[in-house]
């Protein structure tokens, strides 16, 4: 769910970023157009006001241009007025010959080449009013301008130009762009955080559904179904589809378990009859010697088949929950001792040493004696089987306040790393060539039954192994009866 949540947040963030960028771009362009329009209107007003003032001043003074050191200049009073009203704009007034009569302070501070480019549109004197954008100083950038010919201010006045950049407009596009760049990360970060938080509750039904599916998929709870929430049609449809799949799986598993149990049960009687017949034939005094070997092989096959059927029946009943445990207080030291003695007899002919360690104090645990003994014998016989001659097999019982552990270790051939995840799988068997004697490795159900017995008692079984260094199986069981899993019925 975290991946889906992250992807949803990422897509939401990308969509939000695109939306914010589109909004910011449209706002910036709109503000820029409005700013340029506002600037043009302002420049037009400034130009018209300047022309009107020159014309009115001419009517009052009669002469607006005076020579100073042989250079024509605008009347000082008129020039002072222009300085006070046009302090932020670039203003140039020329005579009909293109000579500069007045330039505002910002224009006077320009370099020679920039100033020449600024007055260039006034040479020759324009006859029509015009406006537009041009660049007279690269450091200032493009500016808007208005050029107006002056006709009613005497023959000494030709035209004037008024220019200004976006920076003279309050809160221009540049300032707006900076504000957006500052606020955009904050808005985007807050939105991503909020989107991630909101995605959690939206995906909570999927998280709950996943946990329920994991609980059902253990193979023991196929009868359970997902809760169908009718308030959300999509989730309801998904839950209904999964419930239908679980119903089909339950029917299939039930039919398979019933077939396995029935087939195993039905095979037991014929096998018993067959084994009895072979045993009678072996003990018959008139049996020819050449038939004895064949009868021995037949009896061995019948015994192997009987063991397989018994194991299948046990697992089938366990899968159906019909394999009750007869829990009684048992001192596990006795079971470990008995198992060690049995394993010692099996290992005697191969020179394998079997040892065991148990606490001095009794270790009494409510368990099914028969099942736990079966578990220990399975582990011990496997250890003997896969330990070379002269090796060692050890059993160790330890206890704590809440659990007991039984470790069965050997110095055998070990288990390959690739095989470790499969040792408890049904019908999984190690390579025959890896056994000590090369004999058939069994039915492949012993460790599966061992795992079921441990889990039915509320415990677990673990395995550690290194090829050529040996293997250790560790069974952990709780000391309290109530720890048994729900799937196993208890009979006291």
């Amino acid at each position: 769910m975290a991946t889906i949540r992250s992807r949803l947040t990422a897509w939401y963030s990308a969509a939000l970023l695109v939306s914010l960028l589109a909004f910011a771009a449209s706002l910036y362009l709109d503000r820029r157009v409005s700013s340029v329009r506002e600037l043009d209107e302002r420049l037009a007003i400034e130009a018209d006001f300047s022309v009107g003032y020159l014309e009115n001043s001419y009517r009052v003074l009669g002469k607006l241009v005076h020579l100073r050191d042989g250079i024509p200049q605008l009347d000082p009073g008129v020039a002072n007025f222009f300085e006070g009203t046009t302090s932020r704009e670039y203003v140039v007034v020329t005579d009909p010959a293109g000579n500069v009569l007045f330039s505002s302070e910002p224009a006077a501070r320009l370099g020679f080449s920039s100033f020449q480019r600024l007055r260039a549109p006034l040479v020759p004197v324009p006859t029509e009013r015009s406006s537009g954008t041009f660049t007279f100083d690269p450091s200032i950038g493009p500016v808007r301008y208005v050029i107006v010919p002056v006709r009613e201010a005497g023959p000494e006045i030709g035209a004037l130009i008024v220019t200004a950049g976006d920076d003279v407009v309050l809160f221009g596009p540049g300032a707006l762009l900076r504000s957006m760049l500052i606020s955009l990360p904050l808005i985007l970060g807050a939105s991503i955080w909020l989107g991630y938080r909101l995605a959690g509750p939206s995906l909570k039904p999927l998280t709950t559904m996943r946990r329920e599916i994991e609980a059902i998929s253990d193979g023991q709870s196929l009868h359970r179904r997902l809760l169908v929430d009718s308030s959300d049609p999509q989730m309801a449809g998904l839950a209904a589809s999964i419930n239908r799949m679980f119903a089909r799986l339950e029917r299939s598993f039930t039919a398979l378990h019933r077939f396995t149990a029935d087939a195993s049960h039905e095979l037991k009687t014929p096998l018993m009859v067959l084994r009895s017949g072979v045993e009678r034939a072996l003990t018959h005094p008139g049996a020819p010697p050449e038939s004895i070997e064949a009868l021995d092989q037949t009896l061995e096959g019948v015994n192997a088949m009987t063991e397989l059927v018994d194991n299948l029946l046990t697992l089938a009943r366990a899968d159906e929950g019909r394999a009750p445990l007869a829990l009684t207080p048992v001192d596990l030291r006795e079971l470990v001792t008995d198992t060690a003695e049995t394993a010692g007899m099996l290992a005697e002919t191969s020179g394998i040493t079997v040892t065991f360690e148990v606490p001095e104090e009794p270790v009494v645990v409510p368990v099914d004696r028969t099942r736990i003994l079966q578990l220990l014998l399975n582990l011990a016989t496997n250890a003997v089987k896969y330990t070379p001659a002269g090796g060692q097999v050890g059993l160790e019982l330890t206890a704590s306040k809440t659990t007991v552990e039984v470790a069965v270790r050997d110095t055998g051939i070990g288990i390959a790393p690739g095989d470790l995840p499969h040792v408890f799988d049904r019908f999984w068997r190690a390579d025959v060539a890896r056994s000590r004697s090369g004999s058939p490795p069994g039915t492949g159900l012993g460790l599966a039954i061992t795992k079921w017995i441990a889990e039915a008692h509320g415990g677990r079984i673990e395995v550690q192994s290194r090829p050529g260094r040996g293997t250790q199986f560790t069974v952990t069981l709780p000391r309290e009866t109530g720890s048994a899993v729900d799937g196993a019925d208890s009979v006291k």
Side-chain angles (χ1 to χ4, degrees):
M1 294 307 106
T3 304
I4 297 178
R5 186 178 184 182
S6 301
R7 287 203 300 265
L8 286 176
T9 304
W11 281 110
Y12 164 77
S13 303
L16 178 63
L17 179 60
V18 172
S19 301
L20 288 176
L21 290 177
F23 172 75
S26 61
L27 183 61
Y28 173 78
L29 293 176
D30 178 73
R31 183 58 186 166
R32 182 170 182 81
V33 171
S34 300
S35 177
V36 171
R37 187 184 303 114
E38 181 182 350
L39 181 59
D40 287 343
E41 292 174 355
R42 177 173 178 171
L43 290 177
I45 293 173
E46 292 281 351
D48 292 339
F49 178 78
S50 298
V51 172
Y53 183 78
L54 288 172
E55 293 175 349
N56 290 333
S57 298
Y58 178 73
R59 284 192 289 269
V60 173
L61 300 176
K63 186 177 180 63
L64 299 179
V65 179
H66 303 278
L67 293 176
R68 181 180 296 176
D69 298 330
I71 300 174
Q73 293 183 355
L74 196 62
D75 182 83
V78 177
N80 290 335
F81 176 81
F82 271 104
E83 286 291 355
T85 58
T86 60
S87 59
R88 299 179 62 190
E89 290 84 9
Y90 298 89
V91 180
V92 176
V93 180
T94 60
D95 62 13
N99 298 314
V100 176
L101 301 176
F102 169 81
S103 60
S104 62
E105 183 179 355
R109 290 198 302 265
L110 294 173
F112 178 77
S113 59
S114 296
F115 185 82
Q116 292 301 317
R117 284 192 291 269
L118 174 60
R119 63 178 288 269
L122 302 178
V123 181
V125 176
T127 59
E128 299 292 337
R129 183 189 184 102
S130 62
S131 63
T133 301
F134 81 119
T135 301
F136 60 81
D137 190 321
S139 64
I140 298 175
V143 297
R144 299 290 294 175
Y145 71 88
V146 174
I147 297 176
V148 182
V150 183
R151 297 185 177 90
E152 304 296 332
E156 294 91 352
I157 306 297
L160 63 83
I161 181 172
V162 182
T163 69
D166 291 344
D167 57 338
V168 303
V169 181
L170 182 63
F171 196 64
L176 177 63
L177 181 60
R178 287 191 296 273
S179 299
M180 289 189 296
L181 291 177
I182 294 174
S183 60
L184 183 61
L186 300 177
I187 296 175
L188 186 62
S191 301
I192 292 174
W193 176 82
L194 182 61
Y196 187 81
R197 294 296 300 270
L198 293 177
S202 301
L203 294 174
K204 187 176 181 180
L206 285 178
T207 303
T208 303
M209 187 178 297
R210 176 179 60 84
R211 292 173 180 171
E212 293 180 356
I213 292 174
E214 289 177 351
I216 295 174
S217 300
D218 62 356
Q220 304 294 329
S221 306
L222 290 176
H223 61 282
R224 294 171 53 184
R225 296 293 181 267
L226 300 179
L227 179 63
V228 179
D229 185 5
S230 58
S231 63
D232 190 337
Q234 292 181 332
M235 290 297 176
L238 178 61
S241 299
I242 294 176
N243 285 339
R244 288 192 294 270
M245 179 188 68
F246 278 133
R248 291 193 297 270
L249 288 175
E250 182 184 14
R251 289 194 296 269
S252 299
F253 271 78
T254 301
L256 178 61
H257 293 159
R258 185 178 299 112
F259 169 77
T260 303
D262 293 344
S264 301
H265 181 74
E266 293 299 326
L267 285 173
K268 291 189 68 174
T269 301
L271 287 173
M272 291 177 61
V273 174
L274 182 59
R275 183 171 61 181
S276 299
V278 173
E279 289 175 347
R280 284 198 302 271
L282 283 172
T283 58
H284 194 279
E290 61 271 14
S291 301
I292 298 298
E293 183 177 357
L295 290 173
D296 282 336
Q297 294 177 353
T298 303
L299 182 60
E300 182 180 347
V302 171
N303 289 334
M305 181 65 71
T306 302
E307 179 185 1
L308 174 61
V309 170
D310 287 341
N311 290 339
L312 285 174
L313 185 58
T314 298
L315 291 174
R317 288 175 176 173
D319 290 339
E320 292 183 343
R322 295 190 296 110
L325 299 179
L327 300 181
T328 57
V330 177
D331 187 354
L332 293 185
R333 297 182 305 169
E334 300 177 5
L335 300 186
V336 172
T337 302
D338 293 343
T339 302
E341 292 177 355
T342 303
M345 290 186 291
L346 294 175
E348 188 175 1
T349 57
S350 302
I352 298 174
T353 303
V354 179
T355 61
F356 67 94
E357 296 181 19
V358 296
E360 295 181 359
E361 299 295 330
V363 183
V364 180
V365 180
V367 296
D368 186 318
R369 180 187 182 90
T370 303
R371 293 298 186 187
I372 293 299
L373 185 59
Q374 181 183 10
L375 178 151
L376 296 175
L377 286 174
N378 279 345
L379 296 179
T381 54
N382 269 357
V384 171
K385 186 174 186 177
Y386 289 98
T387 299
Q392 294 181 351
V393 173
L395 289 81
E396 182 181 4
L397 173 64
T398 58
S400 66
K401 292 182 178 181
T402 58
T403 61
V404 295
E405 288 188 357
V406 180
V408 180
R409 62 179 64 91
D410 61 60
T411 58
I413 58 176
I415 303 173
D419 292 337
L420 276 176
H422 307 289
V423 293
F424 298 110
D425 293 348
R426 298 180 184 184
F427 295 105
W428 181 88
R429 294 185 295 182
D431 188 358
V432 174
R434 294 176 60 83
S435 67
R436 172 177 53 82
S437 61
S439 59
T443 63
L445 296 176
L447 290 178
I449 293 177
T450 299
K451 183 174 183 291
W452 165 73
I453 293 173
E455 293 178 350
H457 283 81
R460 65 182 185 275
I461 182 170
E462 300 173 341
V463 58
Q464 297 176 330
S465 183
R466 293 178 61 184
R469 302 290 297 273
T471 303
Q472 175 175 318
F473 286 88
T474 303
V475 179
T476 304
L477 299 175
R479 303 200 69 163
E480 298 295 332
T481 307
S483 300
V485 294
D486 297 335
D489 299 329
S490 298
V491 178
K492 295 184 180 179

